[in-house]
């Protein structure tokens, strides 16, 4: 019997296979190789939606996080395995005395407490696996939101750079003329000083924009799993899901059923509740039931049941009950806090968008007048009807108004992306109705 048990255990054993670590960073050298590796149709230049797809497929952190599903699935499988019974036996050769044959005994026993807590362990493991699945989808939301924001900011930044360059060139041209006039002693330093300050401010603004664009490109490379300094070609228009503030406000009531982080907290609370049930059941004494048969050296054979009961004198599992009860209470408070934060953040961002939209409407209303004044100033300057300083001021005012509008548009875009990330517009969702707790649908 022992040989048969050992043989059955060996035939079901797993085998070791090596899994070496990477010797070089797994970063792609261009966007096309990423698309081919994931069979994603990616045209150049890339739209924001295509950037999001590439990020979800190739982000290194997401690839590592998705492997947690296999760990959680293994833990669920382990929780669903019944405990093995114990087989004992002994063979006692006769060494001396009045006996005639060797003595022997065989016993089989089973831990009953492990059977009593089986269902709660199984349910807790399933809830924990679903929590891991929801956490991974929430991480996908964060990566998708970052990809949307970075790509959108890059597109807006590239569109606004022309205005920054034009303003700098205009001021540089005027400053060069003033410096020549200063060298010829035709103007004073007091006259040149304001232009120097304006030129320095324009150069600083242009440099800051270029630095920000470079930093955003590096962020996008990291999100897509690309090598540093790879230039990702982007479209000139930003394509985002349709934004409807009224629908978003109306959908806040069902947000707990859609947001993966809230679902993950709910699954974690359910697992903690099952663990509390398990700890309460485990207060009862350890019980081991079984049976044995034995024969002594005089061929007298005995057989019958046996039981072993632990006496709950010192350890009544009171510590684990207190820990699991406190854990459940903490998760309940965490869920309530996260829910309040989720709804409050969306509401606050919607209110900020209303204020930015009002400011943007005023700036856009004033832009035609600024452009008209700049055009008239250019014509008047060509006809020598206005001095150069007045011409430069009016033209620079147009550039400043255009840059103000682009800054407001960037603020609106960032908040729109943040809201759509928080509510999950166009993002993967967790499907807890499926038999497979890890299943998600896009």
């Amino acid at each position: 019997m022992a040989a048969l048990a050992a043989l059955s255990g060996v035939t079901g054993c797993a085998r070791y296979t090596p899994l070496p670590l990477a010797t070089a960073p797994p970063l792609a050298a261009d966007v096309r190789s990423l698309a081919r590796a994931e069979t994603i149709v990616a045209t150049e230049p890339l739209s924001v939606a295509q950037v999001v797809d590439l990020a979800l497929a190739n982000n290194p952190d997401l690839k590592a996080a998705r492997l947690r599903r296999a760990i959680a699935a293994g833990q669920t499988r382990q929780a669903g395995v019944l405990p093995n019974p114990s087989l004992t036996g002994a063979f006692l050769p006769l060494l001396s005395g009045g006996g005639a044959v060797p003595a022997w005994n065989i016993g089989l026993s089973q831990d009953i407490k492990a059977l009593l807590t089986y269902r709660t362990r199984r349910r807790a493991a399933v809830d924990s696996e679903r929590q891991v699945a929801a956490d991974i989808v929430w991480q996908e939301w964060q990566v998708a939101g970052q990809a949307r924001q970075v790509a959108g900011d890059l597109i807006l930044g590239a569109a606004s750079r022309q205005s920054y360059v034009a303003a700098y060139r205009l001021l540089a041209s005027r400053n060069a003329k003033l410096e020549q006039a200063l060298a010829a002693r035709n103007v004073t330093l007091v006259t040149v000083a304001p232009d120097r300050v304006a030129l320095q401010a324009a150069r600083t603004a242009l440099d800051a924009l270029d630095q920000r664009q470079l930093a955003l490109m590096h962020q996008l490379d990291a999100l897509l799993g690309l090598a540093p300094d790879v230039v990702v070609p982007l479209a000139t228009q930003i394509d985002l899901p349709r934004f409807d503030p009224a629908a978003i406000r109306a959908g806040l009531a069902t947000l707990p059923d859609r947001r993966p982080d809230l679902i993950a907290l709910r699954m974690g609370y359910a697992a903690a509740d099952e663990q509390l049930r398990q700890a309460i059941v485990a207060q009862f004494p350890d019980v081991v039931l079984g049976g044995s048969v034995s024969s002594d050296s005089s061929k007298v054979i005995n057989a019958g049941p046996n039981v072993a009961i632990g006496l709950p004198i010192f350890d009544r599992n009171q510590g684990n009950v207190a820990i699991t009860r406190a854990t459940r209470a903490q998760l309940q408070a965490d869920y309530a806090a996260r829910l309040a934060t989720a709804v409050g953040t969306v509401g606050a961002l919607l209110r900020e968008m209303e204020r930015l939209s009002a400011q943007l409407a005023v700036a856009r209303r004033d832009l035609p007048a600024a452009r008209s004044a700049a055009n008239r100033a250019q014509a008047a300057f060509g006809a020598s009807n206005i001095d150069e300083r007045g011409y430069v001021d009016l033209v620079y005012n147009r550039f400043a108004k255009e840059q103000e509008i682009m800054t407001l548009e960037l603020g609106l875009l960032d908040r729109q992306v943040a809201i759509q990330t928080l509510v999950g517009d166009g993002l993967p969702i967790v499907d807890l109705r499926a038999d497979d707790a890890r299943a998600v649908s896009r």
Side-chain angles (χ1 to χ4, degrees):
M1 292 179 63
L4 289 175
L7 181 61
S8 63
V10 170
T11 55
C13 288
R15 298 190 178 186
Y16 168 80
T17 55
L19 186 62
L21 295 173
T23 58
L27 298 175
D30 54 66
V31 176
R32 292 182 179 178
S33 61
L34 289 181
R36 287 195 300 268
E38 302 296 336
T39 64
I40 294 176
V41 179
T43 59
E44 293 187 6
L46 299 177
S47 66
V48 174
Q50 289 174 325
V51 170
V52 170
D53 289 339
L54 288 173
L56 290 176
N58 297 283
N59 183 261
D61 292 333
L62 275 183
K63 288 183 177 180
R66 289 178 180 127
L67 296 178
R68 291 165 45 206
R69 294 180 179 175
I71 299 175
Q75 292 171 342
T76 301
R77 182 178 180 182
Q78 181 62 33
V81 176
L82 292 173
N84 293 325
S86 298
L87 177 65
T88 60
F91 179 73
L92 306 174
L94 180 62
L95 299 179
S96 64
V101 296
W104 56 267
N105 63 73
I106 296 176
L108 186 66
S109 61
Q110 177 67 56
D111 184 3
I112 301 302
K113 180 186 282 188
L115 298 178
L116 295 177
T117 59
Y118 169 78
R119 291 185 179 275
T120 55
R121 287 200 320 271
R122 171 68 178 175
R123 289 195 293 263
V126 171
D127 290 334
S128 296
E129 183 180 358
R130 290 177 173 174
Q131 180 183 10
V132 170
D135 279 332
I136 293 173
V137 177
W138 176 242
Q139 191 168 345
E140 290 178 347
W141 280 27
Q142 304 309 300
V143 171
Q146 292 176 22
R148 283 176 176 174
Q149 183 172 0
V150 172
D153 289 355
L154 279 169
I155 293 173
L156 280 182
S160 64
R161 191 178 188 277
Q162 181 179 0
S163 178
Y164 282 85
V165 171
Y168 173 74
R169 288 176 178 173
L170 176 68
L171 292 174
S173 176
R174 171 170 172 78
N175 187 75
K177 295 178 181 179
L178 287 176
E179 292 294 340
Q180 292 176 359
L182 180 63
R185 299 181 182 272
N186 294 326
V187 296
T188 64
L189 184 60
V190 176
T191 305
V192 177
D195 291 88
R196 287 181 176 178
V197 174
L199 178 62
Q200 182 60 38
R203 181 187 292 116
T204 301
L206 180 59
D207 290 343
L209 176 64
D210 289 339
Q211 292 171 9
R212 184 172 182 272
Q213 289 291 99
L214 182 60
L216 289 173
M217 182 59 70
H218 287 159
Q219 291 181 30
L220 187 59
D221 289 339
L223 284 172
L224 300 181
L226 292 168
D229 295 330
V230 174
V231 178
V232 179
L234 296 174
T236 57
Q237 299 296 325
I238 301 174
D239 57 316
L240 292 175
R242 180 176 174 271
F243 187 74
D244 186 354
I248 290 175
R249 291 185 188 277
L252 289 178
T254 60
L255 189 61
D257 299 327
R258 294 181 285 110
R259 264 191 49 160
D261 62 327
L262 295 175
I263 295 175
L265 285 174
R266 197 162 67 243
M267 292 298 100
Y269 173 84
D273 189 67
E274 293 296 339
Q275 289 167 356
L276 175 59
R277 295 174 184 269
Q278 179 183 341
I280 292 174
V281 173
Q283 292 180 108
F284 295 96
D286 296 331
V287 179
V288 179
L289 296 180
S292 62
V293 57
S294 62
S295 173
D296 61 13
S297 57
S298 59
K299 296 185 179 181
V300 176
I301 299 176
N302 298 309
N306 54 58
V307 59
I309 300 177
L311 300 179
I313 298 176
F314 305 109
D315 183 8
R316 296 183 300 278
N317 209 40
Q318 61 269 35
N320 288 332
V321 171
I323 292 172
T324 53
R325 195 185 300 277
T327 301
R328 186 184 66 170
Q330 178 190 355
L331 289 174
Q332 183 191 40
D334 289 344
Y335 180 82
R338 184 70 64 86
L339 179 60
T341 301
V343 176
T345 302
V346 173
L349 288 174
L350 287 172
R351 186 68 184 90
E352 291 176 10
M353 286 194 69
E354 292 176 358
R355 178 64 58 85
L356 286 174
S357 297
Q359 295 173 351
L360 180 60
V362 173
R364 285 175 174 169
R365 184 192 63 194
D366 296 340
L367 179 60
R371 285 177 173 172
S372 177
N375 293 333
R376 290 198 305 268
Q378 185 174 7
F381 182 70
S384 301
N385 294 328
I386 189 174
D387 61 4
E388 186 177 0
R389 181 54 186 265
Y391 160 68
V392 171
D393 289 344
L394 290 172
V395 174
Y396 188 75
N397 179 62
R398 183 197 71 184
F399 293 141
K401 184 62 65 176
E402 292 174 348
Q403 293 169 12
E404 177 188 358
I405 290 175
M406 292 176 182
T407 301
L408 292 172
E409 288 176 345
L410 181 61
L412 276 174
L413 173 67
D414 290 345
R415 284 160 179 79
Q416 178 180 342
V417 170
I419 292 173
Q420 291 183 321
T421 301
L422 291 175
V423 300
D425 279 354
L427 298 177
I429 62 173
V430 183
D431 186 7
L432 296 182
R433 297 171 301 175
D435 293 334
D436 185 0
R438 295 168 291 168
V440 295
S441 59
R442 192 172 295 276

